[in-house]
Amino acid sequence: MQQLTSYLAGSWVMGHGKERTINHAITGDVLYQVTSEGLDMAQAKRYAIENGGKALRALTFVQRAAMLKAVAKHLLANKESFYEISAQTGATRADSWVDIEGGIGTLFAYAGMGNRELPDDVLWPEDEMIPLSKQGGFAARHVLTSKSGMALHINAFNFPCWGMLEKLAPTWLAGMPAIIKPGTASAQVTQAMVKSIVDSGLVPQGAISLICGGVGNLFDLLDEQDVVTFTGSASTGQKLRCHSNIVARSVPFTMEADSLNCCVLGEDVSPEQPEFALFIREVVREMTAKSGQKCTAIRRIIVPQAQLENVVQALKAKLEKIQPGDPALEGVKMGALVSIEQRDDVQQKVDQLIAAGCKVVIGGKADTSRAGAFFPPTLLLCQQPDETSAVHELEAFGPVATVMPYQHAEHAMELARAGQGSLAGTLVTASGDIARQFILGAGRAHGRIQVLNQESSVESTGHGSPLPMLVHGGPGRAGGGEELGGLRAVKHYMQRTAIQGSPSMLAAVSKQWSYGAAVQENPVHPFRKHFEDLQIGESLLTARRTITEADIVNFANLSGDHFYAHVDKIGAADSFFGERVAHGYFVVSAAAGLFVDPGVGPVIANYGMENLRFIEPVKIGDTLQVRLTCKRKTAKPQKTAQDKPVGVVEWAVEVMNQENQSVALYSILTLVARKHGDFGA
Amino acid sequence: MQQLTSYLAGSWVMGHGKERTINHAITGDVLYQVTSEGLDMAQAKRYAIENGGKALRALTFVQRAAMLKAVAKHLLANKESFYEISAQTGATRADSWVDIEGGIGTLFAYAGMGNRELPDDVLWPEDEMIPLSKQGGFAARHVLTSKSGMALHINAFNFPCWGMLEKLAPTWLAGMPAIIKPGTASAQVTQAMVKSIVDSGLVPQGAISLICGGVGNLFDLLDEQDVVTFTGSASTGQKLRCHSNIVARSVPFTMEADSLNCCVLGEDVSPEQPEFALFIREVVREMTAKSGQKCTAIRRIIVPQAQLENVVQALKAKLEKIQPGDPALEGVKMGALVSIEQRDDVQQKVDQLIAAGCKVVIGGKADTSRAGAFFPPTLLLCQQPDETSAVHELEAFGPVATVMPYQHAEHAMELARAGQGSLAGTLVTASGDIARQFILGAGRAHGRIQVLNQESSVESTGHGSPLPMLVHGGPGRAGGGEELGGLRAVKHYMQRTAIQGSPSMLAAVSKQWSYGAAVQENPVHPFRKHFEDLQIGESLLTARRTITEADIVNFANLSGDHFYAHVDKIGAADSFFGERVAHGYFVVSAAAGLFVDPGVGPVIANYGMENLRFIEPVKIGDTLQVRLTCKRKTAKPQKTAQDKPVGVVEWAVEVMNQENQSVALYSILTLVARKHGDFGA
């Protein structure tokens, strides 16, 4: 029998001790033995930190993003090998697509975010400078730096690829190495993907480790520079969260547990409306996808009393046509549960729900005569959901859901909240008012809520799909944690520190210039410099220009903007300004006239502007002068050797009047040519 | 003897059971008895939620901000009464200023943030719409809604006012009621302030409750809609964090524990430089302010080996002049510790540090002959900080610090990190490079780092002061939590939910329009409408304008911007654009010309622009058209009846070309008159 090896301290290693067995979910054949007993976790942690952590921290965010992208491309090219192994877990091709390609898509998404939004540096200035004093000599910035430990990812069996990759992407982007402990029942799929990543040579040694089996004494080795994320059962998560080391060292611990997610049919929806069919389709899909083994699966179907019978009949009609089977066979839409243990657990929970008063509409009994772990789609009916706490607390982790009636909108929210915290909920309604009220009443119990109507249904990714840009997690029973959510997830693996000091000191620390920091003036115009030659804080103080009545008149005529504050002496006298003032758009246009160097040069384009504020009005006769300062630089990776190498340069613009008052402050974004590309000499 | 009563369920109530005694810190006189035994915590929680929570959630963020401001004004008007009681705790006037006026200032700061940055609504759309589909029919937004439970604030004795107010401000802004449990040793100061708030009638019944004494069975009553914040000793915090209910219900638990904060002297600083004197001043102030009873106090003084003797002598010379005494007496700069128990605890810790190998430079022994809880400024010297773990782990919570040498910059960071997580650190250096390296090496162990040099020192608020805009908290030993940090703190008391749906549905939920949502067109120009009459999604599609060569020439001449891409046919042909294009500034100017309604009306001023992106170039002969849509409205409270009532309206602007492509997207910010003010009929 083959043992599923672990990858620790740069080697594939075998455990020695009591083994668990992985069986084929469809055939029941024994596939692997699993144990990690006897493996040296202390050495594994040290290796991950001293090799992987060090190497990752040496890369800039933009470089880490490029690494993610390369890994994603590599995995995509090799995806078929993962589908093959995934089939052993009872998954259909569609189920595996979510896991494998959904996971790879998450890597791509984080690569894109890192490349677009993060600095080409190892330190992440999170927000803009915060002034803390009247004269401006003391200020602060929040910065994020990489933690120096390792991330321990404890994953669930249901998404062996996605579950790993959705955590790996932000971890690596943050500059941390990861030790991955997959759910044992499907660890062979995770192992195959880890092998593929390791063999690709695209990530530094030690950036990824894998434990097939238990985590041994790893928890005893944790300290405040480590991070733990846990996905799985609430009871295991709660035990780990109280580990003495987690508590004493305040180790960040993110937990994501299965919850009793609901799908609510709005009071406005009757069977004639398209939303009724959408509701039925969504529930059936979320009950049966991955054979219901999804932490986001719909377990509670909450419908208006008046529609209960219609819903029950419609669901029954659809579910009758879905029988579990071998996904390799033609026409099989739902596969097996991952293991016989899992099947028996589902049976036990269904029996308990029945004992609590639920009636079986369809399904309810596993076919124990088959070698595979098959369980049929099971719909239960609970007429008294207020008195039947089991339907809100007891989860059968398979293709099982309970339908229940509500009496009025507030009651529907109460039932939704009765899950005591959910990862996801869906409300099917055509009414914006009903949606807003539902979110005000039930949002606090949910990490994500989909509002499904005809318009959104065309492109909806569905109730059950966590997306890289959206937070995944939920309060209470769902574990109280948050994953994904765009760059939020990256911050989970970093330390935020408020840095206080003079603006010049903050500029030196963050490599970003802010108002009040020292500037360097230089006889060469900054628009004549390539990306590499521009220095943060390099600044141009322009010539001056007096704004005349003729300028305002001409600008009004040319733009067509004859707003009274600019052209109507009488109206302007009564206005906020007390007299005619120059157009704000003219002020920024004249500013460009003062700071732009006109000839062909390395500055390619001005593609945007941020945070423009008009501070003081510009009156006829005022004289303007502009300071243009290089604020932030981000080199962009070239996609091909043919692309022109460029970087983004953000410039701070301050327009001042003759009293040295700021009249306008803003940033402009430019593309600037780099002298040297990323492809060779 | 007077019992310090609690305020629960809308009444001042007395406990019945074993009492603790509060003595005057200076005279030793017995002042109060404290117990909360027998008080009905279940009723208190219910009352807070059903009255305070309900009333607070009914207010918009802008209204809650106005409430905070009113409370802050009220407390400021009554501040002298708090100073009087605060003196009982051994505090000097300066110590009490930090506590009382620093706390009130935090309320003002949150009032300002709420008014400026949060919506005039009960739901907080956190970020902009996130597109999730190609055709644009499915998108998402993260929104924050108020939790429906209560916030339990467990505070430390050292800042009885600030410790309460820095948590109350974000809690109330979030729409949650608070139950406050102050540190018993100074609970009379908190109680006085709570009384003043209750008596003011400025906050709803149930919005504030107070427990003088223990929290009884409150932890057994917690659920996922509640929040707990804890400030105090690590051991108590760790115990509470593992309470079965906190764990099983995933109750958010923020912990802030005392940590062994450091002050590091940069290698670049010699005694001749101004930074040397700044270092000495900062250490002495942070050792002696509040008699060293600050969770941010400097406990570890880390200096270059070469400067060790200079630093020791300079500190000794300063500390010799500071003797603890009654702050009521002339010339007394340092008061007493809060209690005899505290004094004895400090003595015990100092003795342990000495036993571990530290030498006493000055101080070290309490004067036990006096009735007050006096302990002298105590400087210890540790020559072998790598071998003396006690100096990094054992905290004497009084005017006590240990000086230790480092050998090189990396060693200084190691010693800084040896505290295993700190709230605050200070680095004194004149070098930006040294500062950046220190933050890259030690930032991960700190929640806040001050870089002190001559420039920042003039206005610095000091190593020990948490500020409303900056995060307060730290990893590891400091508890792993985060408070303050501007609006971040408000989010601790809310639930974030990702809402998915069609753009129109998201607009209905968030009351903010985004691209892709339905618009309403109307024969009346939106600039002719008052704030109240404008609808979210109200939209103007303008007439068209063809951009000609003459326009570009005229704009170049008027603005003075003769950038080659606009005026040089040869240069432009080789450019990114391939031919001459209109100035971006002209595109936005012409757009204004198309959408502005020129006459006097309710639109008062355009004061800013956000997120401008030029998507497609505008070429000679292109024809532009603009859509202007009301995106977001925020009514602003009037300060006085004389002020013109106004609101902020954000408009989404989309400039399109003849192909219906977006050429520019941005938002403009306008002030719009309201018909009705906040004062009277």
Side-chain angles (χ1 to χ4, degrees), chain A residues 121-123 126-127 130 132-138 140 142 145-146 148 224-225 238 241-242 247-250 420 429 431-432 435-436 439-440 443-444 446-451 453 455-456 459-461 467 469-471 475-476 479-480 482 488 495-502 505 508-509 511 545 551 554-555 558-564 571 576-577 585-586 588-590 592-593 595-600 603-614 668-669, chain B residues 121-123 126-127 130 132-138 140 142 145-146 148 224-225 238 241-242 247-250 420 429 431-432 435-436 439-440 443-444 446-451 453 455-456 459-461 467 469-471 475-476 479-480 482 488 495-502 505 508-509 511 545 551 554-555 558-564 571 576-577 585-586 588-590 592-593 595-600 603-614 668-669:
Chain A
D121 191 7
V122 295
L123 175 150
E126 189 185 28
D127 44 17
I130 301 163
L132 297 174
S133 70
K134 283 191 180 150
Q135 303 302 316
F138 190 60
H142 289 101
T145 53
S146 302
S148 56
E224 67 280 354
Q225 291 299 324
Q238 289 169 18
R241 181 187 269 173
C242 284
V247 172
R249 306 297 291 256
S250 299
Q420 299 183 357
T429 180
S431 157
R436 181 173 156 94
I439 283 154
L440 284 175
R444 59 182 181 262
H446 288 87
R448 182 165 58 84
I449 291 178
Q450 177 189 216
V451 183
N453 66 0
E455 193 184 355
S456 67
E459 297 180 277
S460 165
T461 51
L467 298 176
M469 294 306 295
L470 308 187
V471 291
E482 241 182 27
R488 287 178 187 85
Q495 174 65 38
R496 176 183 290 120
T497 309
I499 310 295
Q500 296 172 286
S502 72
M505 193 59 86
V509 169
K511 292 197 176 169
R545 173 173 181 174
D551 285 325
N554 285 336
F555 189 82
L558 179 55
S559 67
D561 176 354
H562 297 275
F563 194 62
Y564 73 96
F576 191 68
F577 304 110
Y585 299 109
F586 178 55
V588 296
S589 300
F595 69 67
V596 160
D597 183 85
V600 175
V603 174
I604 299 166
N606 168 9
Y607 70 89
M609 188 193 280
E610 292 286 354
N611 305 317
L612 169 61
R613 287 294 178 280
F614 298 115
I668 60 170
L669 302 167
Chain B
D121 191 6
V122 296
L123 176 150
E126 189 184 28
D127 44 20
I130 300 163
L132 296 175
S133 69
K134 284 193 180 149
Q135 303 302 317
F138 190 60
H142 289 100
T145 54
S146 302
S148 57
E224 67 280 355
Q225 292 297 325
Q238 289 169 19
R241 180 187 269 171
C242 284
V247 172
R249 307 297 290 257
S250 299
Q420 299 183 357
T429 181
S431 157
R436 181 172 157 96
I439 284 155
L440 285 174
R444 59 185 182 261
H446 288 87
R448 183 165 57 83
I449 292 179
Q450 177 190 214
V451 182
N453 66 0
E455 193 184 355
S456 67
E459 296 179 277
S460 165
T461 52
L467 297 176
M469 296 304 296
L470 308 187
V471 291
E482 241 181 29
R488 286 179 188 86
Q495 175 64 39
R496 176 183 290 120
T497 308
I499 309 296
Q500 296 172 287
S502 72
M505 193 57 88
V509 169
K511 293 199 175 167
R545 174 174 179 174
D551 285 325
N554 285 335
F555 190 81
L558 179 56
S559 67
D561 175 353
H562 296 276
F563 194 62
Y564 73 95
F576 190 68
F577 304 109
Y585 299 109
F586 178 55
V588 297
S589 301
F595 70 67
V596 160
D597 184 83
V600 175
V603 173
I604 299 166
N606 167 10
Y607 70 90
M609 187 193 279
E610 291 286 354
N611 304 320
L612 168 62
R613 288 292 179 280
F614 298 114
I668 60 170
L669 302 166

Side-chain angles (χ1 to χ4, degrees), chain B residues 6 42 236 297 344 352 369 381 421 546 602:
Chain B
S6 295
T236 308
D344 293 347
Q352 288 174 332
S369 68
L381 170 62
T546 303

Side-chain angles (χ1 to χ4, degrees), chain B residues 272-287:
Chain B
E272 302 72 45
Q273 279 169 282
E275 278 77 13
F276 190 88
L278 290 173
F279 178 83
I280 300 298
R281 189 184 74 180
E282 193 77 359
V283 169
V284 170
R285 189 179 58 200
E286 293 297 327
M287 279 180 68

